[in-house]
Amino acid sequence: MSNISFSALAAENKILKNQLNQLKYFLTGSLAFKCSVDDVLPGQTIVCQKEDIHNVAAGLLFPVSSCVDIGPGLRPQRMIAANTHLLVEPHRPYAEKIVKGYPDKLTICSDGVTYLRTALDKSVDTIFILDVIEHLEKEQGFTLISEARRVARLQVVVFTPLGFMPQHFSEMGEIWGDIEHNELQNHLSGWLPSEFEQSISVVCEDYHEGVDRRYGAFYSVIYCDQPPAQQRLVLVSEDCPDFIFKSNDLIIADVGFCGNSWLINSIPKHNLLTIPLQIIAESIMEPIEILRSAVINFRIFEQYLEMFSDIVPIGLSARVVLENLKPSTT
Amino acid sequence: MKNLSIAIVSDVPPDPVYTAGQVLAKIIEGTPAANFSFFWINQSNLSDTKNFPANCRLQKKLNFQLGRVLSKLQHILFKIFEYAPRARALINVLFAALPAIFLGIKLSFELRRSAHHVVWLILQGEKLALTYFILIVFSGKKIILQQWDPVSWWTLHRGYGLRLSTGIQRLVALLERKVALNLVPSSSWCERLRMEGKDCIRIDNFFEDGEVERGIHLRVGSDYEVNAVFLGQFYSNTELNHLLFTLRDEALVMGKVIILHYFGSAINGAPIPGIKVVNHGYLSRAELVKRIAKWDVALLPYPMEDRFDQASKYSFPSKSRVYLAAGLPILAYCKSDSSPHKFYSENYQSFYHNMASSTGLRDFIKLIGDKDLALLKTRQSLSTRLIGEHFSSGVELAPLHQFLGNI
């Protein structure tokens, strides 16, 4: 194979890779590709492959109606659809481009910390800090995270290389969106999942292709609502569009609860137990021994009712079951 | 095998909610050319179910309850022999045996008159042994006998004397000789029966081709935890406790805590100190395989007492097949001549550790804590191969189909 044909192939391969990346970017966050991982607790890490990391992280997120995207560059986040999506981009050429490219989103030209300092406590559902924090000095990065936690109601989502991955704008290859690289692209710090408290991390150990070796990358989804002193038991038998689950809720859902199952899948849960609440409600006058022998997981359900004092029923069947099986709570 | 009509007599329905029922359901569903009529001897008072495979219907529900007359007679005899314990013991045995005998006679007549080509008997316990003996003698049908545990397991658990236990074992040995085919869960049991000149096939909770769907490769946990999985059984609590306590103590030295993910009925007894237990309840097998694959290790306690030697050698734990399907490392506590130890130490040795016969638990804990996905893939590809070679429908169900095809 001649040098010319080899170079042409390599160039074509790069174009195809770029196109594939674009496709992956647009597909990220699509409901079809979100991957829900059950039984993950804050403090735990999910280790997965490169092709799965975005979908696994997207599956961990609370549904939201508002989000702030810090330093989106030319690509606003696509992990989650939000009615109100604010882009906070410090590099003016990028900001001008995304104003034109994404007229449905709000864009301001500011750095993240400056913007967040003006924001009110718990005023936005989610804050995304994707491929940003490694461009800041460590102290500045901690400040950004701290401000983000103050402002976010539900979660802060961070994506960054695993450890320090060297990058200098002068060594970067092709330009992005016809805009010259600059110092903002330099990497100034390295991060590890353990540095983000109250979070679940999704790690891929060989995500980036560096000059001399491969580098990992990870998402950390930092949950902002402080767990209550007591864990709640939530019984769900019907739609609950306005109910906000907390990250450590223990959920018992009816087998027929399909319509809003995405609401449950999006939050990490200690345990999701399926109990036929509607059937129990309909058979509530039957002797307890019959319910114990006829209903799957009924004994476990009784144990949980005994263990928890803070129990929230959602739906008529859930209320009926709770009133009859644990009268002292009603 | 077309239009073959098979009568199943069992105390467990072919309902996937029960482990034994799962196996029955898979065999029935995997034999669509045959029609199954289910005679349910509900000796354990299981709850009603309608969850049968499409080609199986409930023919009759039966039990071992004494009728009013017999109950009264037993009561009167107890009164008469109030101060004669031996006589009372004899009366007990007699009145336990009588319903089994009557049921055997009743079923024999019914099956004799029926158009069933084959009668498939599932044996769990001594009463059924007696019923089936009568059935085999008087029904005039071709019989398949399936067992999951040696009958000594049941008689010892129920505290029968040595003479009675031996008598029941001899009865079962006679049954095995008289039937056309024996179905057992382990290769060692099959080998033993074949050496005794009895026809035998190994069959248990098999997997269809492509059934083992892992989803994406991932691991969940932290450096400070060992996430262990246990699929529940009622009779392994002593060995399970030993396994858990030893694992807990060893992990503690390494700065780790144990989280036990428990699938099954509620754990009986006191909470296990120092171990966080997450009770997940019941899940279907397919869901179970996907759910547990992301954790660190599966626990396999098995009978260690000498008196359960037969069960240890000849039974095979169904749950270990689920562990294998999920590609989990297995931490066992079992005798070195037990059937699971023989299988896993030979075929899955890199990811298997038996606390009872090896040291090196700490190294095993380090191994299972390794979140390297390449290692996970290696392990899962090995487990997929083993499932295909040993526990697939091609290996276990096909020989049964061949037998049925020759009827």
Side-chain angles (χ1 to χ4, degrees):
Chain A
M1 184 181 282
S2 71
N3 279 342
I4 297 165
S5 53
F6 186 79
S7 309
L9 271 174
E12 192 181 328
N13 191 29
K14 262 194 175 168
I15 293 168
L16 283 171
K17 265 192 180 171
N18 196 31
Q19 286 173 341
L20 185 60
N21 277 339
Q22 295 278 359
L23 191 62
K24 279 183 182 172
Y25 166 68
F26 282 108
L27 286 175
T28 299
S30 305
L31 276 174
F33 294 101
K34 270 190 194 179
C35 174
S36 166
V37 181
D38 299 314
D39 312 303
V40 190
L41 296 171
Q44 290 188 324
T45 297
I46 303 171
V47 179
C48 65
Q49 296 178 123
K50 182 175 174 175
E51 53 261 33
D52 300 318
I53 187 173
H54 304 293
N55 296 325
V56 170
L60 293 173
L61 303 184
F62 281 101
V64 296
S65 52
S66 61
C67 75
V68 169
D69 205 338
I70 306 285
L74 295 176
R75 285 198 197 153
Q77 68 82 17
R78 288 186 59 82
M79 295 180 76
I80 205 162
N83 294 334
T84 306
H85 189 167
L86 173 66
L87 310 174
V88 178
E89 174 51 49
H91 189 45
R92 191 151 204 109
Y94 287 160
E96 284 170 354
K97 224 171 168 79
I98 52 178
V99 160
K100 289 181 191 154
Y102 299 92
D104 57 325
K105 302 189 194 306
L106 306 168
T107 306
I108 63 170
C109 183
S110 167
D111 77 88
V113 174
T114 307
Y115 162 74
L116 287 173
R117 281 203 169 125
T118 66
L120 299 172
D121 290 2
K122 306 293 176 206
S123 54
V124 173
D125 289 337
T126 299
I127 294 177
F128 288 91
I129 306 174
L130 309 181
D131 283 319
V132 167
I133 204 165
E134 64 271 21
H135 298 277
L136 306 175
E137 296 288 352
K138 206 80 179 194
E139 206 180 306
Q140 219 182 352
F142 279 122
T143 306
L144 178 65
I145 296 293
S146 166
E147 287 296 316
R149 290 180 82 133
R150 179 183 63 77
V151 173
R153 284 190 204 106
L154 299 176
Q155 64 218 339
V156 175
V157 186
V158 177
F159 181 66
T160 189
L162 187 67
F164 182 71
M165 183 175 97
Q167 179 171 294
H168 194 274
F169 78 94
S170 60
E171 290 159 8
M172 287 173 72
E174 72 263 19
I175 59 175
W176 199 26
D178 303 326
I179 297 169
E180 294 286 334
H181 294 310
N182 64 83
E183 287 158 347
L184 286 174
Q185 255 105 22
N186 293 350
H187 284 181
L188 302 177
S189 60
W191 298 83
L192 293 173
S194 51
E195 293 178 276
F196 303 106
E197 284 177 8
Q198 194 68 15
S199 72
I200 292 176
S201 298
V202 187
V203 174
C204 168
E205 282 168 357
D206 59 352
Y207 187 86
H208 293 291
E209 210 164 313
V211 172
D212 51 348
R213 66 176 180 99
R214 296 191 74 87
Y215 292 85
F218 69 96
Y219 278 95
S220 269
V221 180
I222 306 166
Y223 297 99
C224 294
D225 59 340
Q226 292 302 314
Q230 255 177 335
Q231 190 179 14
R232 283 190 317 189
L233 179 66
V234 183
L235 310 181
V236 184
S237 61
E238 283 162 25
D239 279 4
C240 50
D242 300 323
F243 186 81
I244 296 195
F245 289 94
K246 296 194 173 148
S247 58
N248 69 336
D249 278 340
L250 188 66
I251 301 171
I252 288 180
D254 200 295
V255 288
F257 187 70
C258 302
N260 267 2
S261 60
W262 59 274
L263 257 178
I264 294 175
N265 287 339
S266 70
I267 65 165
K269 47 196 178 295
H270 170 73
N271 187 22
L272 169 63
L273 200 57
T274 301
I275 302 275
L277 292 172
Q278 192 179 346
I279 291 175
I280 297 172
E282 286 165 3
S283 317
I284 204 69
M285 302 317 292
E286 296 285 340
I288 198 86
E289 287 308 321
I290 289 181
L291 290 175
R292 279 183 189 146
S293 62
V295 177
I296 282 292
N297 291 339
F298 189 83
R299 282 184 190 270
I300 295 161
F301 181 43
E302 282 186 295
Q303 282 183 334
Y304 279 129
L305 288 179
E306 219 174 298
M307 274 161 53
F308 283 81
S309 53
D310 188 2
I311 306 177
V312 179
I314 300 167
L316 179 61
S317 300
R319 280 200 298 277
V320 166
V321 168
L322 185 60
E323 275 162 21
N324 284 275
L325 294 181
K326 189 154 181 168
S328 55
T329 60
T330 57
Chain B
M1 217 199 312
K2 221 173 173 185
N3 298 324
L4 195 63
S5 173
I6 302 176
I8 315 173
V9 185
S10 167
D11 64 335
V12 174
D15 185 341
V17 164
Y18 309 102
T19 310
Q22 212 172 84
V23 181
L24 297 181
K26 286 192 74 64
I27 296 173
I28 294 168
E29 281 163 358
T31 317
N35 292 309
F36 294 83
S37 304
F38 177 50
F39 293 81
W40 187 2
I41 304 178
N42 194 0
Q43 62 173 342
S44 310
N45 288 320
L46 301 175
S47 50
D48 264 352
T49 175
K50 289 179 185 158
N51 206 6
F52 295 123
N55 57 335
C56 175
R57 63 187 180 92
L58 177 65
Q59 181 81 14
K60 215 165 208 166
K61 263 169 75 174
L62 307 147
N63 58 51
F64 287 127
Q65 277 176 5
L66 287 174
R68 252 191 298 172
V69 171
L70 280 174
S71 291
K72 273 226 145 121
L73 183 59
Q74 185 184 24
H75 184 72
I76 292 166
L77 287 171
F78 269 153
K79 276 278 178 195
I80 293 169
F81 295 100
E82 201 175 327
Y83 300 108
R86 274 198 182 169
R88 285 171 69 99
L90 201 59
I91 293 165
N92 254 341
V93 170
L94 183 65
F95 279 87
L98 276 175
I101 294 168
F102 290 153
L103 193 58
I105 294 170
K106 186 175 170 182
L107 272 171
S108 299
F109 278 120
E110 180 148 358
L111 288 169
R112 202 180 178 88
R113 285 196 307 255
S114 74
H116 300 301
H117 301 98
V118 179
V119 177
W120 174 15
L121 306 175
I122 285 92
L123 178 60
Q124 295 202 107
E126 69 290 355
K127 280 188 182 169
L128 284 175
L130 194 50
T131 304
Y132 291 166
F133 175 72
I134 293 166
L135 218 152
I136 287 167
V137 170
F138 292 111
S139 69
K141 298 284 184 187
K142 211 158 200 143
I143 308 278
I144 298 173
L145 180 69
Q146 181 162 16
Q147 300 177 73
W148 274 292
D149 297 300
V151 74
S152 57
W153 173 256
W154 300 95
T155 57
L156 285 166
H157 259 295
R158 286 172 191 163
Y160 291 173
L162 183 62
R163 223 183 272 178
L164 184 56
S165 269
T166 310
I168 293 167
Q169 283 172 55
R170 283 198 181 137
L171 179 63
V172 172
L174 189 57
L175 292 179
E176 288 166 353
R177 191 171 294 284
K178 280 188 164 300
V179 301
L181 182 68
N182 288 281
L183 302 179
V184 293
S186 74
S187 301
S188 46
W189 197 343
C190 216
E191 274 162 31
R192 194 203 82 194
L193 289 177
R194 283 184 186 146
M195 272 170 48
E196 293 170 5
K198 299 165 183 169
D199 281 333
C200 177
I201 289 173
R202 187 200 73 194
I203 191 165
D204 199 3
N205 213 348
F206 57 84
F207 293 84
E208 301 292 345
D209 290 335
E211 187 187 337
V212 177
E213 246 191 71
R214 300 193 195 289
I216 63 173
H217 294 289
L218 52 83
R219 292 288 306 274
V220 169
S222 78
D223 292 335
Y224 312 106
E225 298 164 351
V226 175
N227 281 278
V229 173
F230 180 68
L231 310 187
Q233 290 185 71
F234 78 95
Y235 51 76
S236 55
N237 280 343
T238 313
E239 286 84 1
L240 175 62
N241 283 346
H242 176 90
L243 211 159
L244 280 171
F245 291 148
T246 311
L247 178 64
R248 176 199 63 189
D249 294 343
E250 211 58 45
L252 210 57
V253 169
M254 299 168 74
K256 295 177 189 270
V257 295
I258 306 294
I259 301 178
L260 174 65
H261 299 272
Y262 187 97
F263 293 84
S265 315
I267 296 177
N268 298 319
I272 304 162
I275 293 175
K276 179 175 178 176
V277 180
V278 180
N279 198 341
H280 294 260
Y282 163 77
L283 282 182
S284 68
R285 191 177 76 172
E287 181 59 40
L288 205 52
V289 169
K290 268 197 267 185
R291 189 93 165 245
I292 67 177
K294 61 181 177 283
W295 285 313
D296 297 324
V297 68
L299 304 182
L300 186 62
Y302 216 52
M304 288 292 287
E305 292 179 65
D306 287 338
R307 62 188 181 126
F308 295 130
D309 236 7
Q310 283 225 324
S312 169
K313 275 187 198 157
Y314 298 125
S315 297
F316 194 89
S318 277
K319 63 164 152 274
S320 73
R321 295 184 177 209
V322 179
Y323 294 161
L324 189 64
L328 281 174
I330 296 175
L331 179 62
Y333 182 54
C334 57
K335 291 182 145 189
S336 53
D337 61 353
S338 65
S339 57
H341 179 80
K342 279 189 185 154
F343 178 80
Y344 290 108
S345 60
E346 192 182 304
N347 295 291
Y348 201 52
Q349 62 205 122
S350 308
F351 308 110
Y352 169 79
H353 182 85
N354 185 358
M355 251 186 219
S357 58
S358 333
T359 53
L361 179 58
R362 220 168 276 192
D363 291 333
F364 187 70
I365 295 173
K366 273 194 199 136
L367 171 77
I368 63 180
D370 191 339
K371 304 244 185 312
D372 179 12
L373 286 181
L375 188 64
L376 168 71
K377 282 185 188 175
T378 305
R379 199 171 70 229
Q380 288 185 343
S381 116
L382 170 61
S383 66
T384 306
R385 183 172 64 78
L386 288 175
I387 293 279
E389 282 174 12
H390 296 276
F391 303 133
S392 64
S393 60
V395 170
E396 296 199 320
L397 189 59
L400 177 61
H401 284 174
Q402 200 176 11
F403 171 83
L404 293 173
N406 292 336
I407 289 176

